[in-house]
Amino acid sequence: MVAVKSAYTPTMECETEHFLMAQRQLDEIAREMGLDPELHERLRYPKRALIVSVPVRLDNGSVHSFTGYRVHHDVTLGPAKGGIRFHPEVNLGEVSGLAMLMTWKCALMNLPYGGAKGGIRCEPWNLSTGELERMTRRYTSEIINLIGPDKDIPAPDMYTNEQTMAWIMDTYSINVGHTVPSVVTGKPVSIGGSYGRHEATGRGVAYCTRRAVSRFGISASQPAVVVQGFGNVGAVTASLLHDSGYKVIAVSDVNGGLYNADGLDIPRLKAYQCEMGKLMGFSGGKSISNSELLELPCDVLIPAALGNQINAKNVSKIKARLIVEGANGPTSPEADQYLHEKGIIVVPDILANAGGVTVSYFEWVQGLMHLFWSEGEVNERLEQIMGKACDQVFDMSQKSGLRPRMAALRIGIGRLAEAKRLRGLYP
Ligand code: GLU
């Protein structure tokens, strides 16, 4: 019999450019660390992915069907964990790539979770509160078989917040017939949320920044910081760094940036944003574009807004000495390589922004125990976990010569690989 050479290469519907980027990153570190090829193969694809249609009655009386997703990348270490985002760029590939990042992030932080991500493709800024609520509730009921405190615990991500989590928790609870606060994290404190969760991602970014500045010898009496984004992550990071004596010279929101070489008055800027709903028009700085902001000379650049902000097009113009990734995936792989060759240190997203999921873990634990901690206790435990992870990543990076991103992946994937090896392949 003539052997037929198979032309079949395994592919999945999630293999968009975004997903392939995450997969290539895994392939690179797998080669580097000599990962068992069977474990490598098992980690290259999401475990399961659900696509749902989310019909919503709009305020004008018509019905529109949005598309929603929930992806579990891996659940070896515990229930799937990860945010839900509302954005026009949400698609199967994007959430699958981000779910993979969540697996590495949780493993790196030593949290008993697997990785997930979900979202709805929509323009949330064009939806009323009522439309957002109906969309969130219908999406929850469509993915209800996937989620649960032991199965998959969603949290906020881009353009979702405490209110979104409250709607998800309520919809889930009504469907199962009793209140289940631990089905989501990032809830309001009054319905079982944790003190400190709202600020946790920014707090973790600020903590990593201070740690990296001292570790990598960024010697400046008052390091100059640029923060892209002034939302939940960027504003908290900017405030905390300002309080620790850093000079925050520029920040931005969706409409553009504000710059002041002598340092912005962050408390006054926050009060202005709270009153006006925007940064533009603030008298204590001059307005600059988002691309000018990224290219400013500074000690630390913190991209804390969207993905793919530092890329092949602008990377040669970046003048920061240290980059701390507040957002998920703000640096493209080509840019990352270029920065490494230039000696610009990048503290990767899976470490820098892991404060959010770490306090999510605290919220989940408190909910399951029905025993709640003070804000001081939460922040203290967060610093312990972040400190340990930073030390492990920076130590490995300095010892092995791997850039911090690769060191972080190596630690996370190494931990997960050990667990998968022990559990074995079923059947
Ligand atoms: N969406 C956040 C992240 O990307 C938080 C996830 C969580 O708390 O589960 O890490």
Side-chain angles (χ1 to χ4, degrees):
M1 209 168 81
V2 183
V4 181
K5 193 160 175 262
S6 168
Y8 176 73
T9 43
T11 50
M12 260 186 129
E13 286 75 358
C14 63
E15 286 179 323
T16 61
E17 198 38 52
H18 190 122
F19 179 76
L20 292 173
M21 245 158 60
Q23 205 182 47
R24 277 197 294 270
Q25 194 176 66
L26 166 65
D27 296 346
E28 186 186 340
I29 192 65
R31 260 194 316 277
E32 212 287 325
M33 66 193 275
L35 182 65
D36 174 345
E38 290 184 9
L39 294 177
H40 177 197
E41 172 67 9
R42 291 171 62 195
L43 290 170
R44 295 186 83 231
Y45 304 98
K47 176 183 178 62
R48 56 172 80 94
L50 180 63
I51 306 181
V52 294
S53 133
V54 186
V56 178
R57 186 167 307 283
L58 303 179
D59 291 347
N60 66 12
S62 70
V63 171
H64 182 81
S65 284
F66 297 91
T67 308
Y69 306 85
R70 187 71 184 167
V71 173
H72 295 174
H73 170 254
D74 185 87
V75 294
T76 304
L77 295 170
K81 189 84 191 80
I84 286 176
R85 52 173 58 188
F86 292 169
H87 198 267
E89 274 159 35
V90 167
N91 60 54
L92 184 62
E94 187 204 42
V95 289
S96 301
L98 290 166
M100 190 186 269
L101 273 189
M102 285 307 300
T103 303
W104 313 149
K105 193 186 297 187
C106 293
L108 169 66
M109 303 310 287
N110 228 344
L111 306 177
Y113 289 136
K117 194 69 107 190
I120 302 179
R121 185 158 60 241
C122 64
E123 291 177 353
W125 43 87
N126 287 332
L127 296 172
S128 69
T129 306
E131 289 169 333
L132 283 171
E133 175 171 356
R134 293 192 290 280
M135 183 178 79
T136 303
R137 288 185 182 278
R138 181 63 189 246
Y139 167 73
T140 306
S141 87
E142 296 298 340
I143 64 161
I144 206 149
N145 292 327
L146 239 54
I147 61 174
D150 302 321
K151 297 205 277 187
D152 172 8
I153 306 124
D157 201 270
M158 270 166 58
Y159 291 97
T160 54
N161 55 26
E162 284 90 346
Q163 177 61 76
T164 323
M165 296 306 117
W167 290 327
I168 296 177
M169 183 276 229
D170 183 69
T171 307
Y172 182 88
S173 298
I174 286 175
N175 274 272
V176 297
H178 57 101
T179 296
V180 188
S182 296
V183 66
V184 287
T185 58
K187 304 174 287 291
V189 170
S190 51
I191 56 166
S194 175
Y195 288 112
R197 175 62 185 86
H198 184 80
E199 301 79 18
T201 311
R203 185 171 287 280
V205 175
Y207 184 83
C208 270
T209 304
R210 289 193 298 264
R211 203 94 169 181
V213 161
S214 67
R215 184 66 177 250
F216 295 106
I218 310 283
S219 49
S221 60
Q222 213 194 3
V225 190
V226 170
V227 184
Q228 186 196 33
F230 207 66
N232 181 26
V233 183
V236 173
T237 306
S239 286
L240 291 172
L241 290 177
H242 178 269
D243 294 349
S244 23
Y246 283 50
K247 189 162 69 171
V248 182
I249 59 169
V251 299
S252 65
D253 65 8
V254 281
N255 302 309
L258 272 180
Y259 170 63
N260 184 337
D262 299 326
L264 293 160
D265 182 342
I266 298 296
R268 208 160 67 79
L269 180 57
K270 273 180 73 178
Y272 178 86
Q273 187 205 32
C274 199
E275 192 190 331
M276 309 299 286
K278 58 179 184 175
L279 301 177
M280 290 309 106
F282 179 68
S283 57
K286 86 176 204 316
S287 86
I288 54 170
S289 71
N290 236 309
S291 51
E292 286 169 332
L293 172 127
L294 291 171
E295 295 162 15
L296 283 170
C298 61
D299 294 303
V300 190
L301 171 62
I302 304 180
L306 303 165
N308 198 29
Q309 295 300 290
I310 304 171
N311 50 43
K313 281 201 194 108
N314 63 1
V315 68
S316 61
K317 299 182 202 128
I318 301 291
K319 297 176 201 74
R321 299 166 71 193
L322 172 72
I323 296 175
V324 182
E325 296 185 329
N328 284 317
T331 314
S332 78
E334 307 79 42
D336 198 48
Q337 186 59 38
Y338 182 95
L339 293 167
H340 177 58
E341 283 159 17
K342 283 281 218 167
I344 299 176
I345 297 153
V346 181
V347 181
D349 45 9
I350 60 167
L351 174 63
N353 71 28
V357 71
T358 303
V359 178
S360 273
Y361 164 61
F362 298 162
E363 179 177 333
W364 180 70
V365 167
Q366 292 171 77
L368 295 177
M369 290 192 307
H370 309 282
L371 180 69
F372 292 87
W373 308 340
S374 69
E375 186 164 1
E377 281 174 283
V378 168
N379 291 344
E380 197 182 308
R381 286 177 205 250
L382 171 63
E383 291 214 348
Q384 264 171 23
I385 293 190
M386 290 296 299
K388 199 164 167 189
C390 283
D391 285 348
Q392 284 172 342
V393 171
F394 299 157
D395 283 349
M396 173 173 288
S397 169
Q398 286 183 326
K399 270 194 211 120
S400 64
L402 284 174
R403 54 194 202 273
R405 186 186 312 281
M406 290 297 138
L409 287 168
R410 188 173 174 155
I411 296 167
I413 294 171
R415 244 174 226 150
L416 179 60
E418 169 67 357
K420 284 188 101 66
R421 193 184 59 74
L422 287 165
R423 286 187 57 168
L425 175 61
Y426 174 86

